[in-house]
Amino acid sequence: MSTELLQRYQHVLQRIHKACQQAERRPESVALLAVSKTKPVEDIELIAQQGQTSFGENYVQEALQKIALHPELDWHFIGPIQSNKTKPIAEHFNWVHSIDRLKIARRLSDQRPADKAPLNVLLEVNISGEQSKAGFQPQDLMQAASEIAQLPNLNLRGLMAIPQAVTDFESQRIPFAKMRSLLESLQKALPDCQLDTLSMGMSGDLEAAIMEGATMVRIGTDIFGARDYSQS
Ligand SMILES: *Cc1c(COP(=O)(O)O)cnc(C)c1O
């Protein structure tokens, strides 16, 4: 079991490396976020021993237990955020990828402890325009970003998306290319922000995301194996 996990982890690192070569990008320009939701802390420890430092979690209670055991790791909240859950997120995470409303951003800024560095945040974009998906509509992004950039205890770092799942490479590239161009517009409009992050690409589409400029890929299944259906 543990050797399988290590092999899958190494295989994902190789895929990222190869995708960078194909995109003519430096491998260090793409960070791997290991998405450990629903997985035991032992699995996290095993790949942390291999040098993996950043982990993504979707469920607050589950994440808090893992963070308490490993506060030295770099924890990213990537799941949907209910407004009554912002306080523990503001207190215990280093990054939040799933900001989809102004109200959530304000609460996170208000609740970020004063002795911690500003919370790194990404705005989630509903890039495929799916009714069921969270995220800002692209046309609302600029206004939201300029307001969120003013919040004192947040550091607006970029954008995140979960595009509609499709299997062929050329179709996968389309929403990722749109994301890159949205980030470029934001960089022009907000030159004083540290807008250096495009969080996009999951197990099934990391190569297309890297081709279009992803700086962080979020990989769960292809590292840790399939999750329980009920929790995925
Ligand atoms: C679960 C999840 C992932 C990981 O997806 P896999 O397909 O298992 O790699 C990435 N991003 C978000 C926001 C997730 O919720």
Side-chain angles (χ1 to χ4, degrees):
M1 178 62 203
S2 67
T3 48
E4 264 174 54
L5 173 53
L6 292 181
Q7 280 169 1
R8 283 192 304 254
Y9 176 63
Q10 291 302 332
H11 183 62
V12 165
L13 291 178
Q14 283 162 13
R15 278 174 66 194
I16 293 171
H17 204 274
K18 192 160 164 233
C20 284
Q21 282 178 336
Q22 258 146 14
E24 300 186 4
R25 299 182 54 195
R26 290 178 301 109
E28 316 82 69
S29 67
V30 181
L32 170 58
L33 182 68
V35 177
S36 43
K37 63 181 175 211
T38 80
K39 297 299 177 179
V41 73
E42 291 76 17
D43 288 5
I44 293 172
E45 289 165 353
L46 205 64
I47 65 164
Q49 282 161 13
Q50 305 294 302
Q52 179 66 33
T53 53
S54 297
F55 291 86
E57 290 282 338
N58 293 53
Y59 308 105
V60 177
Q61 289 317 315
E62 177 192 339
L64 292 180
Q65 294 177 7
K66 294 172 177 173
I67 296 171
L69 292 168
H70 289 287
E72 78 286 2
L73 296 172
D74 178 43
W75 294 99
H76 295 229
F77 191 81
I78 63 172
I81 306 176
Q82 296 163 275
S83 54
N84 63 353
K85 295 279 176 60
T86 50
K87 191 158 190 280
I89 294 173
E91 288 175 346
H92 297 285
F93 283 84
N94 304 111
W95 287 73
V96 176
H97 293 224
S98 41
I99 305 277
D100 62 354
R101 325 193 273 295
L102 210 49
K103 177 186 172 191
I104 295 295
R106 289 203 186 100
R107 290 177 66 92
L108 289 171
S109 181
D110 289 346
Q111 294 168 334
R112 182 68 169 172
D115 62 343
K116 294 215 169 183
L119 181 63
N120 295 298
V121 299
L122 304 176
L123 306 190
E124 182 170 353
V125 184
N126 187 351
I127 198 65
S128 304
E130 293 168 275
Q131 291 279 330
S132 60
K133 286 259 175 81
F136 290 100
Q137 299 304 318
Q139 64 270 21
D140 299 333
L141 198 58
M142 198 66 76
Q143 178 66 32
S146 56
E147 294 189 45
I148 290 169
Q150 310 290 325
L151 296 172
N153 302 318
L154 302 186
N155 188 10
L156 179 59
R157 296 293 296 271
L159 302 175
M160 181 275 249
I162 312 170
Q164 193 164 29
V166 291
T167 50
D168 80 287
F169 185 73
E170 291 307 322
S171 313
Q172 288 175 347
R173 287 178 67 172
I174 296 168
F176 293 141
K178 287 186 194 156
M179 288 292 292
R180 173 165 61 180
S181 107
L182 286 171
L183 184 69
E184 286 167 356
S185 310
L186 280 192
Q187 287 166 336
K188 286 195 187 106
L190 300 168
D192 296 332
C193 285
Q194 189 186 357
L195 291 163
D196 56 5
T197 304
L198 263 183
S199 164
M200 57 189 198
M202 308 187 357
S203 292
D205 56 14
L206 76 89
E207 284 84 2
I210 288 173
M211 185 61 78
E212 296 300 341
T215 67
M216 202 181 285
V217 292
R218 307 179 309 269
I219 310 301
T221 308
D222 282 3
I223 296 176
F224 296 104
R227 292 176 293 273
D228 274 359
Y229 181 72
S230 59
Q231 300 249 38
S232 67

